[in-house]
Amino acid sequence: MINRFLSDVTDGRYDGYPELGVDTAEMENPALRTWAGMDDGETGVRVNYVHAGSSAQGLIGKGDVILAVDGRTVANDGSVSDGDGRVPFGMLVDRRQTGESIPLRILQGGTRRDIDVPLKAYAPGDTRGNLYDQYPRYYIYGGLIFVPLDRETLKTYGAAWLARADRNLIHEFFIRPLFEPGVQLQERVVLLRRLDHPVNVDMAWFRNLVVERINGQEIRGMDDLVESLENHQGEFHLIEFSHLGRFSVLDRQKAEDAHQEILERYGIEEDRNL
C-alpha cells in the first residue's frame, strides 16, 4: 500500500484508487451458471450493474460474466488466487494506478472476449467513502444549512447511521442513483437543518431533504446551489425537493437582510466552506 501511494504521488498529485465500476453477483448456483451460458467447470461472477461514467461503461454490460482478471481465474464467489491465499478480484484493480489498464476475460452474449479496461477514478464514488483531514462542506443562507449528500453527512446520525439515518436520504444515497444514471454523476445537496429565525421559522419543509431545484434551476452540486441563491433577483426563492414534490418559499430580501444577524446569533464565523 505504501509503495502504491509513493508511486501515485511521483507526479506531485494523489489520484487515489481507480474503480472498475461494476456491481457483481456470486455464481455458486449451478443453474445460474448454465442459464448464463457457462461451460462445465467455468467460474466467474455476473455483472448486475455498470455505473455511469465508470471505467467499465461501454466495455462491460449488465449480464456479462467476468471470468478472469489480470490473468487470474475468478471463482464463483468473486475471489482470485493471490500467493498462498485468495482475495476479492477487486483487489487486483486497487493495485493498479489511475490511467493504467487491466486485462479482463468476459463472457458477453455467449462469446468469450479478452478486453483491456482503461482505469480511471470514479468521481461519484468519493461520496461513498470516509473523508479524512477535511473540513465539512456547507453553505448557509437565510439560516438554512445546506450540505452535500455524502457518507459524512449520513454519519451524523451516529455509529448505527445505516439503520438510523433518514430513510429519504438513504434512498437518495444508495437506491436512486442505480435507476437514474444522470443522478449518479451529480453531487446531491441536502437541506440539513435551519437556524431558527423569523425569516424561516414558518417554512413547511426544512430538514433532511435533497434539493432538486431552486428558482427553476436544477441543482447538481454545491456550486449550483450557491449560484441559484446569490444571483437570483426575484422577490422569493422557490426551493423544490426531490421527495413527494415538496417545496418551500423564502422571502429573498428578508433572508438577505437577516443573514449576518443569524450568523452572529449562532456564533458562526463563515457562512460557507465549499
Side-chain angles (χ1 to χ4, degrees):
M1 183 179 294
I2 294 175
N3 288 335
R4 186 198 178 284
F5 172 79
L6 293 175
S7 178
D8 188 332
V9 298
T10 53
D11 60 357
R13 183 184 67 187
Y14 177 63
D15 296 313
Y17 287 84
E19 295 282 349
L20 190 58
V22 296
D23 294 338
T24 61
E26 297 180 359
M27 301 192 73
E28 302 282 11
N29 182 355
L32 174 60
R33 297 196 296 274
T34 301
W35 175 81
M38 298 170 68
D39 293 335
D40 291 342
E42 203 167 34
T43 61
V45 290
R46 183 181 187 273
V47 175
N48 285 346
Y49 190 82
V50 179
H51 292 270
S54 67
S55 304
Q57 186 179 27
L59 296 172
I60 303 173
K62 179 180 178 180
D64 292 352
V65 178
I66 300 176
L67 304 172
V69 176
D70 201 14
R72 304 189 199 184
T73 299
V74 178
N76 292 322
D77 65 356
S79 68
V80 295
S81 62
D82 189 62
D84 295 330
R86 302 189 67 82
V87 297
F89 77 87
M91 289 287 293
L92 304 183
V93 177
D94 290 343
R95 292 172 184 174
R96 298 295 177 105
Q97 298 287 354
T98 299
E100 295 181 347
S101 295
I102 191 165
L104 270 64
R105 184 168 179 79
I106 63 175
L107 175 60
Q108 187 175 68
T111 302
R112 286 149 189 81
R113 300 180 56 217
D114 294 309
I115 61 174
D116 281 321
V117 179
L119 296 174
K120 57 184 178 182
Y122 180 56
D126 293 343
T127 65
R128 298 296 182 95
N130 298 304
L131 299 180
Y132 301 98
D133 300 324
Q134 296 184 41
Y135 288 111
R137 297 169 61 213
Y138 69 90
Y139 176 69
I140 300 174
Y141 182 90
L144 305 181
I145 304 174
F146 298 95
V147 298
L149 177 57
D150 56 19
R151 183 177 290 262
E152 298 304 312
T153 294
L154 294 175
K155 283 165 58 179
T156 61
Y157 285 88
W161 62 267
L162 191 57
R164 296 178 57 193
D166 185 280
R167 292 296 94 188
N168 293 328
L169 296 186
I170 291 293
H171 174 82
E172 292 281 350
F173 188 68
F174 287 110
I175 307 302
R176 189 177 175 195
L178 298 179
F179 297 95
E180 298 183 40
V183 170
Q184 281 188 55
L185 303 178
Q186 298 175 12
E187 176 183 62
R188 309 293 280 158
V189 177
V190 177
L191 173 53
L192 187 67
R193 295 287 189 278
R194 74 180 177 199
L195 305 173
D196 287 345
H197 185 275
V199 74
N200 63 40
V201 74
D202 291 325
M203 287 180 59
W205 311 108
F206 57 86
R207 61 187 297 168
N208 298 329
L209 291 168
V210 171
V211 180
E212 195 77 18
R213 282 177 296 276
I214 294 182
N215 302 320
Q217 177 180 335
E218 184 180 5
I219 303 303
R220 296 166 295 184
M222 294 289 284
D223 291 341
D224 281 353
L225 179 105
V226 173
E227 191 276 333
S228 67
L229 288 171
E230 295 190 348
N231 292 346
H232 182 63
Q233 296 302 311
E235 184 177 0
F236 299 101
H237 289 300
L238 175 61
I239 306 172
E240 300 176 69
F241 305 106
S242 65
H243 185 62
L244 299 177
R246 291 174 176 172
F247 68 95
S248 289
V249 176
L250 197 64
D251 186 298
R252 180 184 63 83
Q253 193 60 58
K254 290 181 178 179
E256 293 179 1
D257 291 344
H259 184 67
Q260 192 59 40
E261 175 194 342
I262 294 172
L263 295 180
E264 292 176 358
R265 175 186 294 185
Y266 288 89
I268 300 172
E269 295 184 0
E270 301 290 341
D271 65 2
R272 71 195 68 191
N273 178 50
L274 301 172

